[in-house]
């Protein structure tokens, strides 16, 4: 069980911190941000100015909960999710957990932290091309990952993200002797943010809305989501007031024995196509398209609500609406977003 919170407080190898690359990336990001903001004329998401993002009312724009700093820096961490990587560490304290399909029909998790940083997160694994598009709605967040396919490295370098793989932040990573590589790399989130270049975006509005449940929906106590090689189940627990997570028929837990679960689970149905990149074995990496629109199912309070999602551009947030076009409200607390195949 995930404990209740009140005011929730790369390169796989490489040499030094890469100061030259950081300086070049910083200049590219600054120019791209200026051009994008001028074109949009409405400001940019993730800028940390608090517009619609909870900073003005002290609530996290990611969870709807009251927090000490509603615009704290955003750190995304790519987390392993094969059987050898479970149970994971630190997932229960993420604001948002995304489930993404990767090679061979498996999945990885992209955990987004801002309002609450655990001491350790992991196991950390490699980035994918679709991470860039998914994270653009958070502005210029920091991204922690263990490495990347060689042809993807320059694409990541050119992105607006603040990259903190081991080669850029060696002091933020460690290996555990309790597991075998590559499932044993762990991250100190605070150390990663200290090593990140200046300008990491603070939490701001990404389209989530929190409040009382809408009318309608169908009574539902268990929802299954299938990927080609893994199956998720979300089971409603009135006792814990959240949807408990199971993976491949087994309870998903953390290393401290707690059960993973969230008050809101969003099954966002997206187009999953081949990306431009493949792994060492030649398997093509899937690309989950998170810009566009489509159908979704929102689970909250023991009911399932049909919804639509819309994200016009990579720089905009993702809006969820009811069939009548009203905002689809989430329950306060951690949100899981499952990027499921259509």
């Amino acid at each position: 069980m995930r404990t209740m919170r009140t005011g929730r407080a790369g390169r796989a190898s490489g040499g030094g911190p890469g100061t030259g690359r950081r300086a070049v990336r910083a200049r590219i990001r600054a120019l791209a941000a200026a051009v994008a903001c001028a074109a949009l004329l409405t400001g940019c998401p993730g800028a940390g100015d608090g517009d619609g993002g909870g900073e003005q009312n002290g609530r996290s724009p990611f969870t709807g909960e009251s927090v000490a700093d509603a615009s704290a820096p955003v750190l995304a961490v790519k987390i392993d999710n094969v059987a050898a990587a479970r149970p994971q560490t630190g997932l229960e304290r993420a604001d948002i957990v995304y489930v993404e399909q990767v090679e061979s029909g498996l999945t990885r998790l992209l955990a987004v932290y801002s309002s609450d940083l655990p001491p350790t997160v992991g196991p950390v694994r490699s980035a994918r091309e679709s991470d860039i598009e998914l994270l653009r709605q958070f502005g210029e967040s920091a991204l922690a990952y263990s490495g990347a396919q060689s042809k993807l490295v320059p694409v990541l370098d050119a992105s607006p993200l603040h990259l903190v793989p081991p080669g850029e932040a060696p002091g933020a990573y460690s290996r555990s002797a309790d597991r075998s590589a590559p499932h044993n790399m762990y991250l100190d989130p605070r150390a990663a943010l200290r090593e990140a270049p200046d300008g990491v975006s603070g939490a701001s509005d990404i389209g989530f809305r929190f409040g009382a449940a809408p009318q309608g929906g169908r009574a539902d106590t268990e929802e299954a989501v299938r990927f080609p090689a893994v199956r998720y189940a979300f089971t409603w627990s009135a006792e814990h007031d959240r949807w408990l997570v199971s993976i491949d028929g087994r309870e998903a837990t953390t290393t401290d024995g707690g059960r993973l679960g969230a008050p809101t689970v969003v099954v966002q149905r997206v187009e999953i196509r081949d990306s431009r990149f493949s792994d060492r074995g030649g398997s093509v990496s899937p690309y989950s398209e998170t810009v566009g629109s489509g159908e979704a199912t929102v689970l909250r309070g023991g009911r399932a609500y049909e919804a639509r999602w819309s994200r016009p551009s990579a720089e905009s947030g993702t809006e969820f609406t009811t069939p009548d076009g009203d905002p689809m409200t989430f329950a306060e607390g951690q949100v899981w977003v499952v990027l499921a195949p259509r």
Side-chain angles (χ1 to χ4, degrees), residues 316-336:
S316 63
T318 306
E319 180 184 54
F320 294 91
T321 55
T322 67
D324 294 332
D326 297 322
M328 180 65 227
T329 50
F330 298 169
E332 292 182 9
Q334 186 183 73
V335 178
W336 276 56

Side-chain angles (χ1 to χ4, degrees), residues 87-219:
Q88 293 96 343
T89 299
L91 269 181
E92 73 282 1
R93 290 168 66 175
D95 291 330
I96 308 168
V97 177
Y98 289 96
V99 179
E100 301 175 286
Q101 184 174 324
V102 292
E103 297 79 18
S104 302
L106 298 170
T107 62
R108 284 193 184 159
L109 307 176
L110 186 65
V112 177
Y113 297 86
S114 178
S115 56
D116 189 12
L117 295 178
T120 308
V121 174
V124 180
R125 288 301 300 272
S126 54
R128 294 295 184 272
E129 183 185 13
S130 54
D131 296 332
I132 300 171
E133 178 179 282
L134 176 60
L135 290 174
R136 286 297 290 119
Q137 62 193 317
F138 295 90
E140 297 183 9
S141 67
L143 173 61
Y145 58 102
S146 65
Q149 200 268 351
S150 59
K151 293 182 180 179
L152 177 58
V153 170
V155 179
L156 286 164
D157 282 342
S159 78
L161 303 175
H162 295 277
L163 309 178
V164 281
E168 300 281 4
Y173 292 86
S174 61
R175 292 277 186 183
S176 170
D178 297 334
R179 298 186 183 186
S180 59
H183 314 293
N184 64 346
M185 178 173 283
Y186 291 83
L187 177 79
D188 177 340
R190 288 180 175 81
L193 284 173
R194 285 196 299 268
E195 292 293 333
D198 292 339
V200 173
S201 293
S204 63
D205 186 8
I206 60 164
F208 289 3
R209 298 293 177 261
F210 300 90
Q215 296 295 318
R218 56 180 168 82

Side-chain angles (χ1 to χ4, degrees), residues 1-6 8 65 92-93 116 242 256 258-259 261:
M1 178 185 71
R2 180 171 175 266
T3 56
M4 295 295 291
R5 296 175 292 180
T6 57
R8 297 188 315 171
E65 295 177 310
E92 73 282 1
R93 290 168 66 175
D116 189 12
R242 65 191 62 245
D256 66 3
R259 183 78 184 273

Side-chain angles (χ1 to χ4, degrees), residues 277-300:
F277 307 99
S278 58
D279 64 15
R280 293 179 179 177
S283 297
V284 176
S285 299
Y287 190 107
S288 297
E289 294 187 350
T290 54
V291 170
S293 61
E295 305 296 325
T297 301
V298 176
L299 308 177
R300 59 167 297 178

